[in-house]
Each structure stands twice: as C-alpha cells, then as structure tokens.
Amino acid sequence: MLWVLGTSGLAREMAQLWRVLNGADAEVMFAAKSDEDLIQAGSLAVLAVGESHARLRLYERGSSQWEFPTLVHPAADIGDSVVLGDGVVATSGVVATTDVDVGDGSLLNWN
C-alpha cells in the first residue's frame, strides 16, 4: 500500500502512477496534513505537493518515519547517466538526458 501525501490533482496523478507501476488494483490511501499521524512508521509514501519549499519540508519531516520510493513513469525518458535521489517522482513525458543529478524528494513533471 502507498500513502499519497496530499489531496489535490497532483495526488490523483501520484495514485495513477503507482497503479501504472504496480497494477490497477494496487492499494492507495490519501492523507491530508491533519492525517499524517495515522501513517505507520516504515510505510511507503509519495509526496503529492507541487510547491517546492513545502515539498522539501514534508520530505525532511517524513524521511525519518516513512519510505519514499522513487517512481518513474514508463513514458518518462531518463538517461543512463541521470541520478535520481530517494523519493523522486518522474511523470509521463519527462525528459532528463545526461549528467543530471536529481535531489531527494524532487518532482519532475511535464510542463
């Protein structure tokens, strides 16, 4: 099961990405900020916050409690020399070619 930290459109996109990677029946739970205390230590979680400073704060606060898997959509084009940190999300249509180092908890979203 994956906890999606957020409740916006981006949260729905993260749930869809999880199901693309793990099957249509993969379980997903959504958590607003007020629900974070319900998430057990060691749980898988994905950040569904687009604003970079808020995203970083949530990653830093949660990284000692939860596991943030790196999620890469099959339609993302990630080069062999690209380094993705923990908890990075690369959505469909993203292109990162060579010598890119993406920090922990970052979001690569098609624009």
Side-chain angles (χ1 to χ4, degrees):
M1 181 184 56
L2 178 76
W3 282 94
V4 177
L5 305 179
T7 57
S8 67
L10 182 58
R12 291 188 302 275
E13 287 186 50
M14 297 302 102
Q16 175 62 27
L17 174 55
W18 183 250
R19 290 181 178 125
V20 164
L21 297 173
N22 295 284
D25 295 331
E27 189 175 3
V28 174
M29 297 290 290
F30 295 90
K33 186 173 184 176
S34 60
D35 299 325
E36 290 176 11
D37 60 335
L38 302 176
I39 305 171
Q40 294 180 338
S43 294
L44 291 176
V46 65
L47 302 169
V49 177
E51 198 282 316
S52 58
H53 291 100
R55 188 176 178 86
L56 177 61
R57 284 192 305 272
L58 183 55
Y59 178 82
E60 289 174 342
R61 189 172 73 241
S63 62
S64 64
Q65 305 173 64
W66 312 310
E67 181 182 341
F68 292 105
T70 296
L71 306 178
V72 178
H73 193 282
D77 185 3
I78 306 297
D80 292 342
S81 65
V82 173
V83 177
L84 301 177
D86 293 334
V88 169
V89 175
T91 63
S92 178
V94 165
V95 177
T97 55
T98 58
D99 300 326
V100 178
D101 190 354
V102 183
D104 295 344
S106 294
L107 172 64
L108 302 176
N109 202 2
W110 180 82
N111 186 359

